[in-house]
Amino acid sequence: MTDDGSGHRVAVLTSDRQSGTVDVEDLAALARAVLTAEGHEHVELSLSFVDETEMTELHERFMHESGPTDVLTFPLDEDDRTELGARLLGDVIIAPSVAARNNPDDPQAELRLLTVHGVLHILGYDHEEDAERADMWARQERYSGVRVP
């Protein structure tokens, strides 16, 4: 667990299972900042970076859609806890190579956006309805610094 100085204890466990260059520590810090700003403490989240093959397999297996996607989230039951009592929130999985295709001019910005997007989904935000989308997009922009059209 990491204490952000305000008494919030937030853990972001990372796994980098792809060959591209990703600033894993920076993105984990961003995820922690979002969780803290959204009022969550004593929580744990996993943040994984995978290659397109793994993302395709996950996308097809869990979403029943072909091909890779840029980010997948797997929220956990809010009663799940670690040995230290932190609430397990779930998993955010990102494919950096897909992110780079989404925004070839600034793939790092796209990774920031996808990290925030995934964390917000884990926290229960969605973008199916116009009002939900406006709220989620505003939060994404505020936390990631990336504007979504």
Side-chain angles (χ1 to χ4, degrees):
M1 290 265 174
T2 301
D3 189 325
D4 69 357
S6 68
H8 293 101
R9 295 195 177 278
V10 177
V12 176
L13 308 175
T14 60
S15 175
D16 189 2
R17 301 188 300 272
Q18 51 86 54
S19 60
T21 302
V22 174
D23 189 342
V24 174
E25 290 307 313
D26 184 57
L27 295 170
L30 176 60
R32 283 191 299 275
V34 171
L35 291 167
T36 300
E38 289 290 317
H40 293 273
E41 56 184 41
H42 301 293
V43 294
E44 184 174 300
L45 172 84
S46 81
L47 178 62
S48 299
F49 302 93
V50 301
D51 62 24
E52 282 189 50
T53 301
E54 184 174 349
M55 183 58 93
T56 298
E57 291 169 1
L58 292 168
H59 195 216
E60 290 174 354
R61 179 176 177 194
F62 293 102
M63 304 305 292
H64 310 290
E65 296 178 13
S66 62
T69 189
D70 48 12
V71 61
L72 286 173
T73 59
F74 298 96
L76 295 175
D77 184 330
E78 68 180 65
D79 290 332
D80 291 334
R81 302 244 172 216
T82 67
E83 290 179 11
L84 298 176
R87 186 164 62 103
L88 293 170
L89 297 177
D91 305 311
V92 175
I93 303 171
I94 298 172
S97 60
V98 177
R101 281 198 305 277
N102 289 351
N103 187 352
D105 294 332
D106 195 350
Q108 297 309 315
E110 189 71 11
L111 288 172
R112 286 193 313 275
L113 179 69
L114 292 173
T115 298
V116 172
H117 186 89
V119 171
L120 291 174
H121 269 308
I122 289 289
L123 296 178
Y125 291 95
D126 208 347
H127 47 85
E128 294 300 314
E129 304 292 328
D130 289 342
E132 293 174 331
R133 182 172 27 263
D135 181 40
M136 188 169 176
W137 270 211
R139 289 172 191 273
Q140 284 179 166
E141 185 174 344
R142 180 172 57 233
Y143 297 133
S144 72
V146 180
R147 190 170 184 334
V148 178

